[in-house]
Amino acid sequence: IEAEDRSAVSALAEEMHYADLAHAYQEIEEDKHELFLKTIGPEKAADMIVELPDTMIEEALDAFSPSELKVLFHELSDDDRVDILQDVGDEARLRFLGLLGPEDEELTRSLLKYEHDTAGGRMTTRIGRIFDNQTVKQAIEMLRRGQESTETLSRIFVVDQKGRLLGKLRFRDLAFNTWDTPVRDIMREIGPERVLATADQEEAANMLLKYDLIALPVIDEFDHLLGIVTHDDAMEILQEESTEDIEKIAGIGGEQSEETYLNTSILNQFRRRAGWLTGLAFVSLLSGYVMMRFGSILSQVFLLSLFLPMVVAAGGNTGGQASTMVIRAMSLGEISPGSAGEVAWKELRTGFFLGLLLGTCMALFTVLLLPFFHLPMPPGMSLAKVGVAIAIALTTQVTSATFLGSLLPLGARAVNLDPAVVSAPAIAAIVDVSGMVIYFTVARAILGL
Amino acid sequence: IEAEDRSAVSALAEEMHYADLAHAYQEIEEDKHELFLKTIGPEKAADMIVELPDTMIEEALDAFSPSELKVLFHELSDDDRVDILQDVGDEARLRFLGLLGPEDEELTRSLLKYEHDTAGGRMTTRIGRIFDNQTVKQAIEMLRRGQESTETLSRIFVVDQKGRLLGKLRFRDLAFNTWDTPVRDIMREIGPERVLATADQEEAANMLLKYDLIALPVIDEFDHLLGIVTHDDAMEILQEESTEDIEKIAGIGGEQSEETYLNTSILNQFRRRAGWLTGLAFVSLLSGYVMMRFGSILSQVFLLSLFLPMVVAAGGNTGGQASTMVIRAMSLGEISPGSAGEVAWKELRTGFFLGLLLGTCMALFTVLLLPFFHLPMPPGMSLAKVGVAIAIALTTQVTSATFLGSLLPLGARAVNLDPAVVSAPAIAAIVDVSGMVIYFTVARAILGL
């Protein structure tokens, strides 16, 4: 692509979808960016820039002259325009706002007052809107006049004279009815499928998912119809939220930005990961302290070292599994804090059976396979005794780790923290300590050390 | 809800959205299920049953008589009907197929031949379909005649006489043009936004997301239009795939089913988690083996025990973070196997800086704070030496773990394995072993043991 002359690129760009253009833009070298943008021109660039990672947007816009930017911003739908303006610096935002026509500027300013991650910040106001006292003919006339500035007519919303949301209908409901039918008679009422402009974007996305909607109406506290959040926004929101969950579970901090992995700087990667790591390292010192205190046991029976890392890791793994399942189920709205008892009881039993399984495996391993290795044993010690100690320690450790792993996310939610903040590494660090204590206590008791 | 009499429940159900009904159904006690279903009747129950977890579907259907089931199946769209039939046992599927009319039965059988998780298995065939040589008037007439059996007219697809996909248009394109305009003149051509029926459902969902589509056309290998996958299917698919990724990263095996957390049996939970756990437990024995071999070092300098769990855990945490980021970026299509070099170089540097940070923290901790604890030290040993050893060991361990964590998912993809199979616990188990070796080797070299 890079080597071709401008006209060829231009012809190619004409045929390409803007999502593919954005992909191509990110692939080429940075010093070709300006040429690329100039070649495809502001109209084609508008839709493409929306698809770029946040951090690349301002640079891309700077490639255009003020008059080209006017064309570009005019080309954008209102929600995309707001998105872009939220991603550039304050100085650039003011400059760009000045380029908009007075009507667009007012609209954009009113949308900018909603936070980026709210339903209001995500909505488009360019919707098909008709009145309940119109006839089908009047409604179609009104939609036809407004069609240029309407993003979607897949769902048309019906409001009363004061702009309050009453119902919705599909274009075919208008087209397949006689022209004098009152809109009121054919519209379908809208039940709970509406969202406040100030609500979190995740709430809007989940509602779109739950009710299988193409467009979710956004209202103010007086039920006035402000705009809609569309299905494609919902998909993006859900993807972002899932990524955030995944990262938090892995102990990666900070907001998930729209940057792609390869576009994130090393400094940024470092920042998002370093916090948890450092904190957890100091928690791990507690495990080390326990180990140091009980170190003499290990030097008395070297064989105990063989199972120590396993008992500790098994706790981290099962605790991590349990917390991951619970965190995801909470994200999907399958578990409410009220079900804490049920969840805890379920995980307690699951953990017990998992612990029993691992304990049995390891006891059998100790008794059946270890004799072939002729390991040195202190007098009065038998492999059978060690096997029993391992089995008991493992069962205890896995059961308690699973139980803890399931309860911590619920506890976090109960004190209004994000459940995903209880990451798998955090659980692991905590149950490492308890695992050491359990292991040494059980070993001491059973082996009489 | 439970205590109220049938007519009240019925009136309430009339007003409720089927997604809310499904939620209510899962909340009530099991012995009330049949009464609930009988009360709302087969027509209302049809849409609700689609929303239930897989495992509850067959039981719910068994509440109805054959004649009621006929009504229920007739009420369903073809893709929902296929979904339901894929979730019941073989015997039940044959019985239910026999209840369909001959036309529906043939259609359903032809859809059942596609795997549940392919584009063909997810598509609906009840779409608005017109011919390129029609006029607007003819097209509207054709759509009006078919409107009862059409699921969505938000996008209308244009095919040639042989049924091959040519283009698409919106209802408003028909409504806002004169009646004698040829469809061919107003349709928009469809570029790469189409998917083979045999393609993975995730491919279809990602395409819907990428191109912001309401409906993605599904074709056979000769470009014949078979049906569409809609935006709400795509959202469900993306949610399922995200959950699967999250679970795999946590070392939870098996397919993510549509069951909710609370509906999954303990046996099922046990099965999905036990596999990885048992395998990893045996890998952990390797760590134990290393520890047993080098145990004499720990008994010479007890202080070394203090840092051992931390060095090991830091590797697991950073390796897990790196693999999680890479796995997610691959799922979102941000990284291809071709970028392996770039990813590895990025993570190598990130890992090095993280290791340096942790190493410096711990060295400072050793030199500045540990003197206050008056720990017993063997002759010739100083805290400064120990601090240097810890810093070097930590930096090496974190750098190598991060590097490994980022490369393993890419390696898995290269040999056609799911990258998410390289779970965080697996990385942790592997770098536990390398961490032990690094720690003891560095300690021995620096401290001269």
Side-chain angles (χ1 to χ4, degrees):
Chain A
I1 292 178
E2 300 165 36
E4 290 177 54
D5 59 295
R6 288 177 64 130
S7 65
V9 173
S10 175
L12 199 64
E14 207 56 53
E15 284 171 27
M16 277 170 83
H17 192 279
Y18 55 84
D20 292 319
L21 275 178
H23 190 73
Y25 179 82
Q26 289 174 69
E27 294 281 302
I28 63 171
E29 285 157 46
E30 271 191 40
D31 54 355
K32 298 260 165 55
H33 277 169
E34 196 171 333
L35 180 66
F36 186 100
L37 290 165
K38 289 281 185 194
T39 309
I40 65 172
E43 286 180 39
K44 194 87 192 173
D47 283 330
M48 186 205 86
I49 287 177
V50 178
E51 303 284 321
L52 291 179
D54 293 356
T55 44
M56 299 176 81
I57 286 178
E58 189 165 346
E59 182 224 78
L61 290 175
D62 283 340
F64 292 105
S65 69
S67 64
E68 286 171 324
L69 282 174
K70 267 187 195 167
V71 177
L72 189 149
F73 281 121
H74 187 75
E75 193 67 21
L76 289 170
S77 71
D78 55 349
D79 57 335
D80 285 339
R81 199 188 298 132
V82 170
D83 269 1
I84 284 187
L85 290 177
Q86 274 163 336
D87 292 333
V88 301
D90 289 340
E91 181 270 327
R93 187 178 311 121
L94 285 176
R95 186 156 48 84
F96 294 149
L97 274 171
L99 293 172
L100 305 176
E103 205 173 308
D104 275 350
E105 184 179 346
E106 198 195 316
L107 173 63
T108 307
R109 278 188 192 278
S110 76
L111 287 175
L112 273 171
K113 76 169 188 258
Y114 296 109
E115 295 286 326
H116 180 65
D117 56 356
T118 61
R122 284 280 189 166
M123 74 184 172
T124 177
T125 58
R126 293 163 67 167
I127 59 179
R129 185 195 307 250
I130 56 180
F131 292 106
D132 64 325
N133 58 0
Q134 288 178 317
T135 61
V136 163
K137 183 174 183 198
Q138 289 167 327
I140 290 184
E141 271 308 310
M142 189 168 162
L143 293 171
R144 189 205 299 267
R145 278 195 309 272
Q147 66 164 311
E148 282 309 312
S149 62
T150 312
E151 196 175 313
T152 175
L153 285 180
S154 296
R155 290 296 175 271
I156 298 152
F157 293 91
V158 184
V159 295
D160 67 12
Q161 294 303 310
K162 289 183 172 158
R164 281 179 304 215
L165 179 65
L166 292 177
K168 65 177 173 183
L169 38 76
R170 299 164 303 177
F171 209 113
R172 64 163 132 165
D173 299 325
L174 294 176
F176 294 158
N177 273 291
T178 52
W179 281 39
D180 54 355
T181 313
V183 163
R184 199 181 291 117
D185 291 356
I186 51 172
M187 76 177 190
R188 279 177 290 182
E189 279 183 25
I190 294 183
E193 317 98 86
R194 56 182 78 188
V195 72
L196 275 173
T198 49
D200 192 274
Q201 60 174 358
E202 201 175 357
E203 192 185 327
N206 282 331
M207 218 177 259
L208 271 146
L209 179 66
K210 180 177 173 190
Y211 295 119
D212 295 342
L213 301 174
I214 288 183
L216 175 72
V218 180
I219 52 168
D220 66 14
E221 60 266 50
F222 305 110
D223 234 17
H224 294 119
L225 178 64
L226 301 177
I228 53 170
V229 176
T230 51
H231 63 101
D232 48 328
D233 292 323
M235 277 202 260
E236 266 169 39
I237 295 167
L238 292 174
Q239 286 289 73
E240 281 170 31
E241 301 285 346
S242 292
T243 304
E244 230 175 271
D245 268 6
I246 291 177
E247 294 185 345
K248 279 189 194 142
I249 290 173
I252 299 165
E255 282 286 298
Q256 199 265 329
S257 74
E258 281 177 36
E259 297 172 82
T260 59
Y261 172 83
L262 288 175
N263 280 313
T264 312
S265 67
I266 292 189
L267 181 67
N268 224 337
Q269 295 274 13
F270 179 83
R271 274 208 210 111
R272 298 185 62 203
R273 303 192 204 172
W276 267 111
L277 280 183
T278 320
L280 294 178
F282 282 98
V283 177
S284 291
L285 286 178
L286 281 178
S287 298
Y289 177 73
V290 176
M291 202 169 143
M292 201 165 70
R293 282 294 299 272
F294 289 90
S296 58
I297 295 183
L298 290 181
S299 47
Q300 281 175 59
V301 188
F302 273 121
L303 182 55
L304 285 178
S305 294
L306 180 62
F307 296 101
L308 178 62
M310 196 261 297
V311 172
V312 166
N317 294 344
T318 50
Q321 285 180 336
S323 68
T324 301
M325 293 221 97
V326 171
I327 289 170
R328 183 63 182 170
M330 290 174 85
S331 279
L332 296 178
E334 294 173 4
I335 300 182
S336 59
S339 329
E342 200 177 335
V343 173
W345 175 227
K346 187 164 211 161
E347 290 297 325
L348 194 64
R349 286 176 294 166
T350 309
F352 177 71
F353 290 123
L354 288 171
L356 213 57
L357 171 77
L358 287 185
T360 313
C361 283
M362 289 301 152
L364 289 176
F365 171 81
T366 310
V367 178
L368 300 179
L369 287 179
L370 281 188
F372 295 102
F373 293 92
H374 303 291
L375 294 161
M377 292 286 276
M381 199 67 59
S382 73
L383 281 177
K385 267 193 183 175
V386 173
V388 171
I390 303 293
I392 293 179
L394 253 178
T395 309
T396 316
Q397 160 76 341
V398 169
T399 309
S400 61
T402 308
F403 185 64
L404 207 67
S406 67
L407 275 191
L408 280 180
L410 288 160
R413 170 69 60 91
V415 294
N416 273 326
L417 280 175
D418 182 349
V421 88
V422 189
S423 60
I427 302 265
I430 295 168
V431 301
D432 271 12
V433 185
S434 61
M436 295 266 180
V437 175
I438 290 170
Y439 188 68
F440 288 118
T441 313
V442 170
R444 223 164 36 175
I446 305 255
L447 306 178
L449 297 170
Chain B
I1 293 177
E2 299 165 35
E4 289 176 54
D5 60 293
R6 287 177 65 130
S7 64
V9 173
S10 175
L12 199 64
E14 207 55 53
E15 283 171 27
M16 277 171 81
H17 192 278
Y18 56 83
D20 293 319
L21 275 178
H23 191 72
Y25 179 83
Q26 290 174 68
E27 293 282 301
I28 63 172
E29 285 156 45
E30 271 191 40
D31 54 355
K32 297 260 165 52
H33 278 170
E34 195 171 334
L35 180 65
F36 186 99
L37 289 166
K38 290 280 184 195
T39 309
I40 63 173
E43 285 180 39
K44 194 87 192 173
D47 283 329
M48 187 205 84
I49 287 177
V50 178
E51 304 284 320
L52 291 179
D54 294 355
T55 44
M56 300 176 80
I57 286 178
E58 189 164 346
E59 181 224 79
L61 290 175
D62 284 339
F64 291 105
S65 69
S67 64
E68 287 171 323
L69 282 174
K70 267 188 196 166
V71 177
L72 189 150
F73 281 119
H74 187 75
E75 194 66 20
L76 288 171
S77 72
D78 53 350
D79 56 337
D80 286 338
R81 197 187 300 131
V82 170
D83 269 0
I84 284 186
L85 291 177
Q86 274 162 336
D87 293 333
V88 300
D90 289 340
E91 182 271 324
R93 186 178 311 121
L94 285 176
R95 185 156 47 85
F96 294 148
L97 274 171
L99 293 172
L100 304 175
E103 205 174 308
D104 275 349
E105 185 179 346
E106 197 194 319
L107 173 63
T108 306
R109 279 187 192 277
S110 77
L111 287 175
L112 274 170
K113 76 170 188 259
Y114 296 109
E115 295 287 324
H116 180 66
D117 57 355
T118 61
R122 284 281 189 166
M123 73 184 172
T124 176
T125 57
R126 293 163 66 168
I127 59 178
R129 185 196 307 248
I130 55 180
F131 292 105
D132 64 326
N133 59 358
Q134 287 177 317
T135 62
V136 164
K137 184 173 183 199
Q138 290 167 326
I140 290 184
E141 270 310 309
M142 188 168 162
L143 293 172
R144 188 206 299 268
R145 279 195 307 272
Q147 67 164 309
E148 282 309 312
S149 62
T150 313
E151 196 176 314
T152 175
L153 285 181
S154 295
R155 291 295 175 272
I156 298 152
F157 293 90
V158 183
V159 295
D160 66 13
Q161 294 303 311
K162 288 184 173 159
R164 282 180 301 214
L165 179 65
L166 293 176
K168 65 176 174 185
L169 39 75
R170 299 163 304 177
F171 208 111
R172 64 162 132 166
D173 299 325
L174 295 175
F176 293 158
N177 273 292
T178 51
W179 280 38
D180 54 356
T181 314
V183 163
R184 199 181 291 118
D185 292 356
I186 52 172
M187 75 176 191
R188 279 176 291 181
E189 280 183 24
I190 294 183
E193 316 97 88
R194 59 182 75 188
V195 72
L196 275 174
T198 48
D200 192 273
Q201 60 174 358
E202 201 174 358
E203 191 185 328
N206 282 332
M207 217 177 258
L208 272 146
L209 179 67
K210 179 177 174 190
Y211 295 119
D212 294 343
L213 302 173
I214 288 182
L216 174 73
V218 180
I219 53 168
D220 66 13
E221 61 266 50
F222 305 110
D223 235 16
H224 294 119
L225 177 64
L226 301 177
I228 53 170
V229 176
T230 52
H231 63 100
D232 47 328
D233 292 323
M235 276 201 262
E236 266 169 39
I237 294 167
L238 291 174
Q239 286 289 74
E240 281 171 30
E241 301 284 346
S242 292
T243 304
E244 229 175 274
D245 268 5
I246 291 177
E247 294 185 345
K248 280 189 193 143
I249 290 172
I252 298 165
E255 282 286 298
Q256 198 265 329
S257 74
E258 281 177 37
E259 296 172 83
T260 59
Y261 172 83
L262 288 175
N263 280 314
T264 313
S265 67
I266 292 190
L267 181 67
N268 224 337
Q269 294 274 12
F270 178 83
R271 273 207 211 113
R272 297 185 61 203
R273 303 192 205 171
W276 267 111
L277 280 183
T278 319
L280 294 178
F282 282 98
V283 176
S284 292
L285 286 179
L286 280 178
S287 298
Y289 177 73
V290 175
M291 202 170 143
M292 201 166 69
R293 283 293 300 271
F294 289 90
S296 58
I297 296 182
L298 290 182
S299 46
Q300 281 174 61
V301 189
F302 274 121
L303 182 55
L304 287 177
S305 295
L306 180 60
F307 296 102
L308 177 63
M310 196 262 297
V311 172
V312 166
N317 294 344
T318 50
Q321 285 180 338
S323 68
T324 301
M325 294 221 98
V326 171
I327 289 168
R328 183 64 181 169
M330 289 174 86
S331 281
L332 297 178
E334 294 172 5
I335 300 182
S336 60
S339 330
E342 201 179 333
V343 172
W345 176 228
K346 187 165 211 161
E347 290 297 324
L348 193 66
R349 286 176 293 166
T350 309
F352 177 72
F353 291 123
L354 288 171
L356 213 56
L357 170 77
L358 286 186
T360 314
C361 282
M362 287 303 151
L364 289 176
F365 171 81
T366 309
V367 177
L368 300 179
L369 287 179
L370 281 188
F372 295 103
F373 292 91
H374 304 293
L375 293 161
M377 293 287 275
M381 199 65 59
S382 72
L383 280 178
K385 266 192 182 174
V386 174
V388 170
I390 303 293
I392 293 178
L394 253 178
T395 309
T396 316
Q397 160 76 342
V398 169
T399 309
S400 62
T402 308
F403 186 64
L404 207 66
S406 66
L407 277 191
L408 280 181
L410 287 161
R413 170 70 60 92
V415 294
N416 274 326
L417 279 176
D418 182 349
V421 87
V422 189
S423 61
I427 302 265
I430 295 168
V431 301
D432 270 12
V433 185
S434 61
M436 295 267 179
V437 175
I438 290 169
Y439 188 69
F440 287 118
T441 313
V442 171
R444 217 159 44 172
I446 306 255
L447 304 179
L449 297 170

